[in-house]
Amino acid sequence: MDTEFYRMKRLPPYVIAEVNAMRHAARRAGRDIIDLGMGNPDQPPPAHVIEKLCEVAAKPDAHGYSQSKGIPGLRRAQANYYGRRFGVDLDPETEVVVTMGSKEGLASLATAITAPGDVVLAPNPSYPIHTFGFIIAGATIRSVPTTPDEHYFRSLEKAMYFTVPRPSVLVVNYPSNPTAEVVDLAFYERLVAWAKENKVWILSDLAYSELYFDGNPTPSIMQVKGAKDVAVEFTSMSKTYSMAGWRMGFAVGNRNLIAAMSRVKSYLDYGAFTPIQAAACAALNGPQDIVETNRQLYHKRRDVMVEAFGRAGWDIPPPRASMFAWAPLPPALREMGSLEFSKQLLTHADVAVAPGVGYGEEGEGYVRIAMVENEQRLRQAARNVKRYFASLGINAAAGTG
Ligand SMILES: Cc1ncc(COP(=O)(O)O)c(C=O)c1O
């Protein structure tokens, strides 16, 4: 029987899985690994949200199939969030859909709107679903940079001019995973105008909407007048409310895209477990203290990490948003490459990070550090790294050999 499955041939082994496997093995061997690899929040959701989950789960009638596009109250809660946070009006019936995490939403939309041979513009480096959601759907990826500057817009122009067939979709993700780059509203205004002129759909991933550190709230593409003509935007409860395992996210915006996605989802799923949806309503409608608490938590960790790793001889540009730092390899170890460097850090410093090359070829030369351990552990990680650098004869202050 043929086991050369079409899609499997297009899904390379997950590079990051190699480091994960080493981390598992090291832990099984009893080593205390400081895990800054995966963006998995270490905090729980607020108590009132967990209480709502339990309360609704105790009801005998809460265990049947739910609604694929989300219960109406939750779609209203998300529309209200966009109203109060961004001043954007959304119709909960036609412009909002609940997803089982934004990852599922991106994959379902990719299935709904792309066909084999379509070309999708996606950032490189990028969070894997931004490319593989479309590759699974049979589309072809043309990479564009992540840095939102003039060169970015020139790359878009070139892509439209030179690619046959013309690209039909552009994926954007700011604050970026993995690079933590941010944009302002003027960037989105220019992007929406470009998309209209070029007849390209924009898929904006706003998973880190609330994790910003410099006092400037992250904008939404939906704030641009007319954005709904060309764009949908994904948000997630995973990081904002520390609910990663709950699998709760949303897509909002263009009603044709929302309808297409809802249709695909109606064939694939029955929606998230109703008690989870009810508890998600409680999170969005209830006290928002956790949002500020999480923002401060990651902000503080960011400062500790940059300072402690800096003292260890590793200069890491402070991320302005997200829960990640995008750290260039120390100059003396650049030649090693990001995968080998990550393995060495794990082996010799008991610190797990994600190799940049796992996010695309343009990610080579970097590692992604997730701020998902407490300040004391971050300081410990920096001390371990310093010891490792010293064992190689690297001058900590200069980062040179
Ligand atoms: C940019 C980005 N988008 C989407 C996701 C997936 O989030 P969710 O848990 O909502 O599926 C992540 C998770 O790390 C992410 O970093």
Side-chain angles (χ1 to χ4, degrees):
M1 239 163 351
D2 188 8
T3 53
E4 291 285 294
F5 305 119
Y6 173 88
R7 286 190 173 75
M8 294 309 106
K9 283 194 270 183
R10 284 156 182 80
L11 295 178
Y14 209 44
V15 173
I16 297 160
E18 266 191 64
V19 183
N20 288 346
M22 283 179 68
R23 186 198 58 208
H24 283 309
R27 280 196 165 151
R28 263 204 316 275
R31 278 167 47 207
D32 177 22
I33 302 297
I34 302 172
D35 189 2
L36 312 177
M38 195 178 175
N40 200 3
D42 58 326
Q43 301 294 308
H48 73 274
V49 175
I50 297 174
E51 278 156 25
K52 179 57 90 178
L53 174 76
C54 298
E55 177 196 317
V56 180
K59 295 185 178 169
D61 62 354
H63 300 268
Y65 294 123
S66 196
Q67 286 192 32
S68 169
K69 67 178 187 175
I71 58 176
L74 184 52
R75 281 182 275 120
R76 274 198 304 276
Q78 174 69 352
N80 289 340
Y81 162 71
Y82 262 79
R84 68 173 182 265
R85 170 71 165 81
F86 301 114
V88 170
D89 268 344
L90 293 171
D91 175 358
E93 237 351 91
T94 57
E95 294 175 335
V96 179
V97 61
V98 178
T99 64
M100 292 193 266
S102 53
K103 194 175 182 184
E104 177 272 313
L106 279 152
S108 292
L109 185 57
T111 304
I113 66 170
T114 44
D118 286 354
V119 180
V120 170
L121 303 175
N124 191 332
S126 73
Y127 180 61
I129 197 72
H130 296 157
T131 49
F132 287 103
F134 293 95
I135 289 170
I136 290 169
T140 301
I141 299 294
R142 175 161 173 146
S143 295
V144 292
T146 54
T147 305
D149 55 8
E150 277 307 315
H151 173 62
Y152 176 83
F153 282 98
R154 276 200 302 278
S155 303
L156 293 186
E157 293 300 343
K158 255 168 77 177
M160 293 317 287
Y161 188 81
F162 287 106
T163 316
V164 179
R166 280 166 70 82
S168 51
V169 176
L170 167 69
V171 181
V172 289
N173 168 219
Y174 300 103
S176 161
N177 177 7
T179 69
E181 288 164 302
V182 296
V183 293
D184 58 14
L185 195 54
F187 172 84
Y188 284 139
E189 281 165 355
R190 191 167 167 190
L191 203 63
V192 167
W194 174 85
K196 285 188 176 183
E197 199 183 313
N198 288 280
K199 300 191 170 33
V200 170
W201 295 115
I202 301 177
L203 276 45
S204 166
D205 180 347
L206 191 58
Y208 299 99
S209 55
E210 305 309 325
L211 294 183
Y212 52 85
F213 311 134
D214 58 6
N216 285 333
T218 305
S220 154
I221 197 169
M222 290 299 148
Q223 289 171 273
V224 178
K225 199 159 168 280
K228 281 185 201 172
D229 297 339
V230 290
V232 290
E233 187 161 74
F234 294 86
T235 57
S236 170
M237 302 195 74
S238 296
K239 315 296 158 79
T240 307
Y241 297 96
S242 299
M243 289 166 66
W246 293 50
R247 314 310 302 127
M248 243 319 118
F250 301 91
V252 308
N254 182 274
R255 54 185 67 195
N256 292 314
L257 294 184
I258 296 292
M261 190 176 156
S262 304
R263 175 106 67 101
V264 163
K265 281 177 62 58
S266 74
Y267 281 85
L268 291 178
D269 68 62
Y270 288 110
F273 184 39
T274 304
I276 288 183
Q277 297 196 52
C281 287
L284 281 168
N285 294 336
Q288 296 298 299
D289 317 16
I290 187 173
V291 180
E292 181 59 30
T293 305
N294 273 347
R295 187 180 300 132
Q296 283 175 16
L297 177 92
Y298 290 111
H299 189 165
K300 192 79 203 304
R301 286 180 182 178
R302 192 259 332 240
D303 292 346
V304 166
M305 184 198 61
V306 168
E307 190 265 334
F309 279 70
R311 265 193 289 118
W314 191 1
D315 281 334
I316 297 178
R320 290 166 62 192
S322 87
M323 63 200 297
F324 306 112
W326 187 235
L329 265 56
L333 301 176
R334 257 206 113 96
E335 290 304 307
M336 206 183 256
S338 63
L339 180 57
E340 184 56 30
F341 178 64
S342 304
K343 289 179 178 175
Q344 295 286 325
L345 274 191
L346 191 71
T347 307
H348 301 293
D350 287 343
V351 174
V353 297
V357 72
Y359 301 92
E361 64 185 89
E362 300 299 332
E364 187 49 282
Y366 292 82
V367 292
R368 194 195 72 175
I369 304 177
M371 301 181 276
V372 290
E373 296 244 24
N374 67 34
E375 292 169 30
Q376 192 198 335
R377 301 270 290 168
L378 288 170
R379 287 202 176 90
Q380 182 62 50
R383 282 195 294 274
N384 293 2
V385 165
K386 186 173 184 176
R387 216 174 309 120
Y388 165 56
F389 285 176
S391 75
L392 296 175
I394 290 177
N395 173 344
T400 53

